[in-house]
Amino acid sequence: QKKILNCKKVAIYGAGSAGAQLSSSLNIAKSHNIVCFIDESLYLQNRSINNIPIISPKEIDKTIKKEKIDQILLAIPSLENNRKRELIKSLDKYNIPVLQVPSLEQIERGEASINNLRPIVIDDLLGRNSVPAYPELLGPGILGKTICITGAGGSIGTELALQILKLNPSRLILL
């Protein structure tokens, strides 16, 4: 694996066919330096794909610190929402962007290729469509008012704060 200068250092989570295809695509594009694959399968661990090692999830801490990884690319398009939610939560502590490959359906329909990486959005984790708020109910109660959000450090509190900021409160207090 030849290192590419000034490119993001990435770990690919998933050493199955999607991970291998993503690796090949990124190598052809010369857009990322792939440091390692991460896979939960004992059968795949301690092996390699094109001289890129496949490590256990238990080794993520050490590898991220040692290699200074910039992004984790989630290459398991068939992953169920519950498991994806658990995985994202476990990776969240590293404060590194996690991008995902398109779903199998998108790839099969020709809507996207394996290297169309995108950030993971809340709708991906909900397992249902998000429900928009009624602005006529929120706007008058927030515009120009002082708003306090408790639990603002969590994912829901953060999203709530971002949405409330759009409604122009005079002050936003986050606890």
Side-chain angles (χ1 to χ4, degrees):
Q1 161 93 6
K2 185 180 173 197
K3 297 293 177 205
I4 305 157
L5 296 176
N6 300 322
C7 284
K8 293 197 181 299
K9 291 175 108 179
V10 299
I12 298 177
Y13 203 110
S17 60
Q21 287 176 17
L22 176 59
S23 170
S24 295
S25 180
L26 295 177
N27 282 335
I28 290 168
K30 294 182 177 21
S31 58
H32 295 75
N33 283 323
I34 304 165
V35 173
C36 65
F37 289 91
I38 304 162
D39 205 285
E40 296 169 5
S41 168
L42 295 174
Y43 175 76
L44 294 173
Q45 293 168 13
N46 300 315
R47 293 175 177 234
S48 66
I49 298 174
N50 295 327
N51 294 322
I52 302 169
I54 303 171
I55 66 168
S56 159
K58 294 174 185 170
E59 299 174 73
I60 295 175
D61 280 342
K62 178 179 68 172
T63 304
I64 285 176
K65 289 173 187 165
K66 179 181 172 199
E67 298 290 343
K68 296 180 175 66
I69 290 175
D70 299 308
Q71 293 177 335
I72 297 174
L73 309 179
L74 184 56
I76 312 172
S78 61
L79 197 60
E80 293 181 8
N81 281 337
N82 285 343
R83 180 63 188 115
K84 187 186 293 186
R85 194 176 9 253
E86 291 170 9
L87 184 56
I88 298 306
K89 189 173 182 177
S90 73
L91 296 173
D92 195 41
K93 66 182 174 185
Y94 301 112
N95 205 21
I96 297 174
V98 178
L99 304 175
Q100 67 179 344
V101 298
S103 69
L104 290 175
E105 294 81 24
Q106 290 173 313
I107 295 169
E108 288 170 358
R109 290 191 304 253
E111 295 172 1
S113 63
I114 194 77
N115 64 344
N116 289 129
L117 301 167
R118 62 183 175 86
I120 295 172
V121 294
I122 195 71
D123 290 345
D124 294 331
L125 302 177
L126 284 175
R128 59 175 172 80
N129 293 332
S130 61
V131 179
Y134 295 107
E136 63 273 9
L137 296 177
L138 294 176
I142 294 175
L143 178 65
K145 303 268 179 19
T146 298
I147 306 295
C148 178
I149 301 174
T150 60
S155 57
I156 294 172
T158 300
E159 184 62 28
L160 189 57
L162 292 171
Q163 295 300 321
I164 287 174
L165 277 174
K166 293 176 186 175
L167 298 171
N168 297 318
S170 67
R171 183 181 311 177
L172 185 58
I173 302 168
L174 306 176
L175 298 175

